[in-house]
Amino acid sequence: MSSKITISSETSDDQPLLATKQTLGSRMKVRWRRMDNCTRATFSLLFVIICAAIASRIFIEFFSPLDHWPGSRVTIPPDVDRDNDTTQSDEERRDAVKAAMKHAWEGYRQYAFGDDELQPVTNRSNNKWGGWGVTLVDALDTLYIMGLHKEFNQGVTHVVNVDFSKAKDGYTTPFFEMIIRSLAGLLTAYEMSLDRRLLAKAQQIGDVLLPAFDTPTGIPYPRVDVNAKKAVHSDRVCLAEAGTVQLEYWKLSELTGNPAYHEMAQRVVDILDEAEKPYPGLYPIWIDTKSAKLVSGQITFGGQGDSWYEYMLKQYIFSRRSNDQYRRMYEESIDAMKEKMVQRSIYDPQMYYVGDLDSTAKKFSPKYQHLTCFVPGMLALGSKVLDRPDDLELAKNLAYTCFQMYNLTATGLGPEYVLFRDSKDKGLSPSNKDGDDDFAIIKLASSSNTEKKSGFYFGGNRGYILRPETLESLMILYRITGDSMYKEWGWQIFKSIEKWTKTRSAYSAYKDVTSTKGSSELSDSMESFFLAETLKYLYLLFSPAGYYSLDEYVFNTEAHPFKILQSSHSITRH
Ligand SMILES: *[C@@H]1O[C@H](CO)[C@@H](O)[C@H](O)[C@H]1NC(C)=O
Ligand SMILES: *[C@@H]1O[C@H](CO)[C@@H](O)[C@H](O)[C@H]1NC(C)=O
Ligand SMILES: *[C@@H]1O[C@H](CO)[C@@H](O)[C@H](O)[C@H]1NC(C)=O
């Protein structure tokens, strides 16, 4: 924006223009002499203030590395032992990621086209997301971003004929998943291609899911029976499900001109803003749909909590930084998280992590979920947007841990979570699995040398289901710091994905990242987020920072890039 300052120096040697200027100048001199001292003083002061403001703006613009998205400041830190093949350019790496996308899409197209997921080991397909082709819808904007226009058109031709108002018999649609994957995917595919049929389909999804809000409080139910045109009653809904539909409905309001979508979703934010919490800014994950109270469950930046916090920041950015409610809520939550949920490894002081709290915000669980690895990216983005430099330092330390979760396994892939010792002889059981008590701290045997070297130990679930969060954070951190170490880390992870998860038809989830048994560890599953997020963030990591710039786009929690609201007033009712 400040570049406009220089426009006034564009004076040409054009004679007539100069002449007008002189007469204007002499007329102003006359007026200046006629003014009384007080007015002159006021004008002089004003002049000095404006000059100072311009000078400081220029200063910030040139000297603050935080204030521009770089990609230009490329420094290779000495402590990164780079692999033999890093002579490859960004362009070559981008092409390798694009080839991976083509491979996954080709397998899907051949064996599962129009179905929800390809099973990449057996080449079967499944329809566990209602049968509307979630992989196809989720992948559209990635295809577009990578310039795979033929494939994009294959997808569009199919999706414009899908009827989202009819579900398979007996299937009830998960509200949140359908919004973040399919509604968002269609909205961005529309914003990129301007094919209005895609907007019509997005609106159809938005409409068939609206009955979710038909509850005593306006807090949505988690599932909708679209055939019956009503929601499935449920006593409770989790924080992320109720609180990660706002950007999508807001974008839908902007594009259709109908403010009702945004208003319904915003109501949830207003209710939770007011709700009683165990600690300011921290929300237990279960919300009672009848009373709108935060009733129970962990406090977590991992599964079921995560994107609620993410969307505070992202709605603030989406609103062109005009809505202070989101800013206040985000800052309150981040301050509380930093105070109560961040710890570090007792063996590696650089290794910070975000654990979970129980519903009272008193008991701490020393478990770092892969899902929580979006936090470094969120903090880095927030540090830039809200001028919180400390958050960037924390982001770097948290991202380091997320990278080590990959780097310190035998395959170079990262598990669902890792565990840390509370103290030398206490921590969670190494057999801790999803669904177990995450606050059951027990006495542990003394640490192995491997654990001392790694800083953490593994739990009962060591699977990698092709998740994106770590790569998402690396991409954002690279764009914000310009430190190419993040690209090296991302490339190393990509190579492990290629090496261990690639099948003849696509890529598959891997059951145990500490095992090098290879194909027998493949679990025959490829979630749509691998195409929507994992490969997209990798591609953008190796693209110029101006490509889908963080100044112009805000990525939804499924990596669908929304153009930031054109005008903050365009959809409010008057
Ligand atoms: C990469 O490794 C190969 C053998 O593994 C070696 O021949 C080659 O010289 C190495 N290249 C560089 C640039 O170090
Ligand atoms: C799956 O498809 C790939 C690519 O067409 C093929 O090479 C492979 O043999 C197939 N696998 C099975 C189990 O049919
Ligand atoms: C861990 O990182 C180092 C430095 O980047 C690298 O040399 C090493 O190969 C990595 N390990 C794995 C398993 O990828």
Side-chain angles (χ1 to χ4, degrees):
M1 274 206 289
S2 63
S3 60
K4 286 197 189 116
I5 291 168
T6 56
I7 288 172
S8 59
S9 67
E10 252 179 35
T11 47
S12 62
D13 327 275
D14 228 32
Q15 273 308 328
L17 218 151
L18 215 67
T20 341
K21 271 198 165 170
Q22 277 164 350
T23 41
L24 195 77
S26 44
R27 262 190 272 149
M28 282 182 57
K29 260 186 219 156
V30 175
R31 285 205 188 154
W32 180 253
R33 281 194 217 106
R34 281 192 205 141
M35 284 175 192
D36 61 32
N37 280 346
C38 185
T39 321
R40 274 192 221 170
T42 314
F43 271 108
S44 307
L45 188 67
L46 212 64
F47 182 72
V48 170
I49 291 173
I50 290 171
C51 285
I54 291 172
S56 63
R57 185 67 203 149
I58 289 173
F59 184 82
I60 289 168
E61 203 56 32
F62 276 89
F63 297 104
S64 160
L66 272 184
D67 206 61
H68 61 232
W69 312 103
S72 46
R73 281 194 318 130
V74 177
T75 47
I76 295 167
D79 60 330
V80 177
D81 176 18
R82 297 187 308 145
D83 279 335
N84 183 325
D85 72 339
T86 50
T87 45
Q88 287 195 46
S89 65
D90 281 352
E91 210 176 339
E92 286 171 303
R93 290 178 174 187
R94 212 156 55 225
D95 283 347
V97 175
K98 182 170 167 176
M101 182 70 186
K102 254 186 117 145
H103 177 62
W105 175 262
E106 201 43 46
Y108 170 78
R109 195 190 57 77
Q110 202 173 343
Y111 297 106
F113 195 73
D115 288 344
D116 282 336
E117 291 177 352
L118 166 68
Q119 295 183 208
V121 176
T122 57
N123 296 344
R124 285 200 276 257
S125 68
N126 70 57
N127 280 315
K128 63 183 192 188
W129 297 98
W132 292 297
V134 71
T135 295
L136 184 150
V137 183
D138 227 3
L140 286 178
D141 60 7
T142 306
L143 294 170
Y144 196 92
I145 286 173
M146 294 183 180
L148 294 166
H149 295 296
K150 185 185 86 198
E151 290 80 357
F152 178 81
N153 289 332
Q154 289 164 352
V156 170
T157 306
H158 176 81
V159 80
V160 294
N161 293 312
V162 173
D163 185 355
F164 291 97
S165 70
K166 290 204 180 58
K168 285 190 306 188
D169 254 6
Y171 182 78
T172 60
T173 308
F175 175 59
F176 150 82
E177 297 283 357
M178 191 74 185
I179 297 267
I180 64 163
R181 300 188 196 214
S182 300
L183 172 59
L186 287 166
L187 287 171
T188 48
Y190 164 69
E191 278 199 302
M192 290 171 184
S193 67
L194 296 178
D195 183 333
R196 292 204 68 90
R197 297 173 301 170
L198 294 168
L199 180 58
K201 282 291 138 188
Q203 189 165 12
Q204 184 179 41
I205 296 178
D207 286 338
V208 302
L209 294 180
L210 276 184
F213 290 105
D214 193 9
T215 67
T217 50
I219 293 287
Y221 289 135
R223 300 191 82 94
V224 177
D225 181 343
V226 303
N227 293 332
K229 298 188 169 45
K230 60 179 203 231
V232 182
H233 176 85
S234 169
D235 291 336
R236 62 180 197 178
V237 63
C238 81
L239 190 59
E241 286 176 319
T244 318
V245 298
Q246 283 70 18
L247 271 179
E248 292 76 5
Y249 270 127
W250 202 346
K251 178 52 85 179
L252 185 59
S253 279
E254 184 199 10
L255 294 177
T256 60
N258 178 357
Y261 304 112
H262 168 54
E263 284 166 1
M264 251 183 284
Q266 171 62 29
R267 184 135 183 245
V268 178
V269 180
D270 294 335
I271 292 171
L272 296 182
D273 190 9
E274 298 288 315
E276 197 182 321
K277 303 161 194 86
Y279 193 85
L282 297 181
Y283 304 69
I285 53 173
W286 291 114
I287 313 166
D288 185 316
T289 51
K290 231 186 273 142
S291 67
K293 287 194 172 132
L294 293 158
V295 280
S296 60
Q298 308 188 10
I299 293 163
T300 182
F301 280 69
Q304 300 183 302
D306 43 17
S307 42
W308 160 254
Y309 300 100
E310 175 188 350
Y311 270 29
M312 291 300 111
L313 176 64
K314 291 191 169 174
Q315 286 178 92
Y316 179 68
I317 296 172
F318 185 73
S319 76
R320 306 176 69 83
R321 310 186 187 185
S322 72
N323 189 317
D324 232 49
Q325 178 188 27
Y326 308 126
R327 178 194 184 120
R328 170 178 52 75
M329 291 172 78
Y330 174 77
E331 294 196 314
E332 190 175 64
S333 293
I334 297 307
D335 290 343
M337 178 200 85
K338 284 163 79 174
E339 192 185 323
K340 303 193 73 91
M341 302 174 75
V342 177
Q343 291 288 343
R344 48 179 154 165
S345 165
I346 61 173
Y347 296 116
D348 179 352
Q350 197 195 335
M351 188 171 267
Y352 285 66
Y353 67 98
V354 183
D356 301 324
L357 291 172
D358 73 338
S359 65
T360 65
K362 296 213 168 74
K363 277 197 222 160
F364 179 78
S365 172
K367 180 176 187 174
Y368 195 22
Q369 303 180 36
H370 191 293
L371 283 167
T372 310
C373 281
F374 84 97
V375 170
M378 171 180 72
L379 288 176
L381 191 61
S383 79
K384 164 80 169 61
V385 170
L386 300 169
D387 190 21
R388 293 167 58 94
D390 289 356
D391 288 4
L392 184 58
E393 292 315 304
L394 178 58
K396 290 178 187 169
N397 288 327
L398 292 170
Y400 165 78
T401 312
C402 294
F403 170 65
Q404 293 302 345
M405 283 164 70
Y406 285 73
N407 186 48
L408 298 173
T409 66
T411 54
L413 299 171
E416 275 287 279
Y417 51 86
V418 294
L419 305 172
F420 293 83
R421 281 182 193 243
D422 238 11
S423 59
K424 260 189 143 160
D425 59 354
K426 284 214 191 89
L428 289 172
S429 160
S431 65
N432 176 291
K433 268 209 170 75
D434 321 273
D436 288 357
D437 181 356
D438 282 342
F439 300 92
I441 303 291
I442 58 168
K443 199 165 157 45
L444 296 175
S446 55
S447 311
S448 64
N449 282 336
T450 323
E451 187 196 331
K452 283 183 190 158
K453 245 191 261 156
S454 325
F456 53 68
Y457 57 103
F458 298 105
N461 182 345
R462 302 176 177 192
Y464 173 62
I465 62 167
L466 306 171
R467 285 199 189 281
E469 292 77 17
T470 296
L471 292 164
E472 168 183 351
S473 284
L474 296 182
M475 176 276 208
I476 297 173
L477 269 161
Y478 171 63
R479 287 197 170 185
I480 287 178
T481 63
D483 187 340
S484 64
M485 171 182 73
Y486 297 113
K487 288 201 290 198
E488 299 309 323
W489 288 0
W491 182 242
Q492 184 179 309
I493 292 172
F494 177 70
K495 282 193 295 180
S496 300
I497 291 174
E498 281 285 309
K499 179 164 180 190
W500 298 102
T501 74
K502 193 169 188 169
T503 71
R504 285 176 186 277
S505 57
Y507 294 81
S508 168
Y510 197 85
K511 284 182 238 168
D512 181 354
V513 297
T514 64
S515 153
T516 51
K517 275 191 271 165
S519 57
S520 64
E521 296 287 350
L522 297 173
S523 53
D524 202 19
S525 156
M526 177 173 72
E527 288 255 13
S528 67
F529 53 65
F530 179 66
L531 294 88
E533 301 188 66
T534 311
L535 292 177
K536 186 187 286 140
Y537 282 128
L538 271 165
Y539 188 81
L540 293 177
L541 176 64
F542 301 117
S543 300
Y547 195 54
Y548 290 87
S549 150
L550 297 173
D551 286 321
E552 292 161 51
Y553 290 87
V554 58
F555 288 75
N556 96 324
T557 195
E558 188 80 0
H560 297 300
F562 290 160
K563 281 197 179 125
I564 288 171
L565 205 58
Q566 294 301 302
S567 148
S568 50
H569 302 293
S570 62
I571 54 142
T572 39
R573 280 191 213 268
H574 289 290

